Amino acid sequence: LKAVAAELHADDCRYLLVGSTELICALDAKLDLRLSLASSPAPRSGERICIVDPDRTPASSVTLQTPGSPDAARAAVRWLRHGAGLCLNGKAQALLTAPVNKAAFAAAGLGWKGHTDLLAHLCGVGRVAMMFHAPQLRVVLATIHLPLREVPVALTCDGLTGTLRILDHDLRSRF
């Protein structure tokens, strides 16, 4: 929410927040952002920030408010699925995600380490690379979701070659 608040004056984008209306409004109040938040099944014209809660998540659930809880991880997956679906169906132009608790994903028995893996699954692709993009610099990560001590073992010729192929393709086709 702080990122949305910081960007509102700099652009004319409309923001669609997917998640619990109750939790988002409570966070807005806690952070004293005073955002104009509208809640509806679909954004109405003129609204800059709209909350869509695809399954009317009861935020009063203690487990949803407990960081790292499996219920919170399952809710995050539902919301990520909904947001990705909006993009894949052409109803949203971009998806910006907040960090997810990877330990909670594991505790919930989800089949993904984090949202990168989940989004790859939803998009039907087997291999992905995470890129950070700025006008003068593009950086692709060779590993993701690993403790630093595990990185040397994770770096393999096949893995690096696959990542470099994605990078080469996307730099040529997208930039």
Side-chain angles (χ1 to χ4, degrees):
L1 276 182
K2 288 191 280 186
V4 171
E7 291 299 316
L8 273 177
H9 71 281
D11 64 38
D12 61 353
C13 293
R14 293 175 60 206
Y15 295 88
L16 182 63
L17 308 178
V18 180
S20 164
T21 301
E22 188 179 331
L23 283 177
I24 291 169
C25 290
L27 182 59
D28 178 62
K30 179 180 178 181
L31 297 173
D32 196 29
L33 297 173
R34 300 180 188 166
L35 296 171
S36 176
L37 301 170
S39 179
S40 65
R44 294 175 283 235
S45 76
E47 294 173 342
R48 291 283 312 277
I49 307 171
C50 184
I51 303 170
V52 171
D53 189 347
D55 52 10
R56 309 263 191 269
T57 310
S60 55
S61 162
V62 172
T63 57
L64 219 105
Q65 297 179 33
T66 305
S69 77
D71 285 345
R74 284 188 280 276
V77 167
R78 287 193 306 273
W79 300 332
L80 285 163
R81 283 181 180 275
H82 188 81
L86 291 171
C87 289
L88 292 170
N89 293 322
K91 295 180 180 174
Q93 295 177 338
L95 180 66
L96 172 69
T97 64
V100 295
N101 186 315
K102 290 156 187 67
F105 267 47
L110 302 171
W112 308 281
K113 293 179 183 178
H115 45 30
T116 306
D117 302 354
L118 171 60
L119 292 171
H121 168 77
L122 295 173
C123 292
V125 296
R127 185 174 184 92
V128 296
M130 189 181 305
M131 178 185 280
F132 298 94
H133 167 25
Q136 299 299 318
L137 178 69
R138 290 164 189 91
V139 176
V140 171
L141 303 180
T143 64
I144 56 172
H145 307 306
L146 292 177
L148 190 54
R149 70 179 174 278
E150 295 177 20
V151 170
V153 175
L155 293 175
T156 65
C157 285
D158 286 345
L160 288 172
T161 300
T163 299
L164 289 170
R165 284 190 176 126
I166 292 171
L167 175 62
D168 178 65
H169 174 269
D170 284 2
L171 287 176
R172 291 175 193 272
S173 66
R174 298 179 189 271
F175 297 101

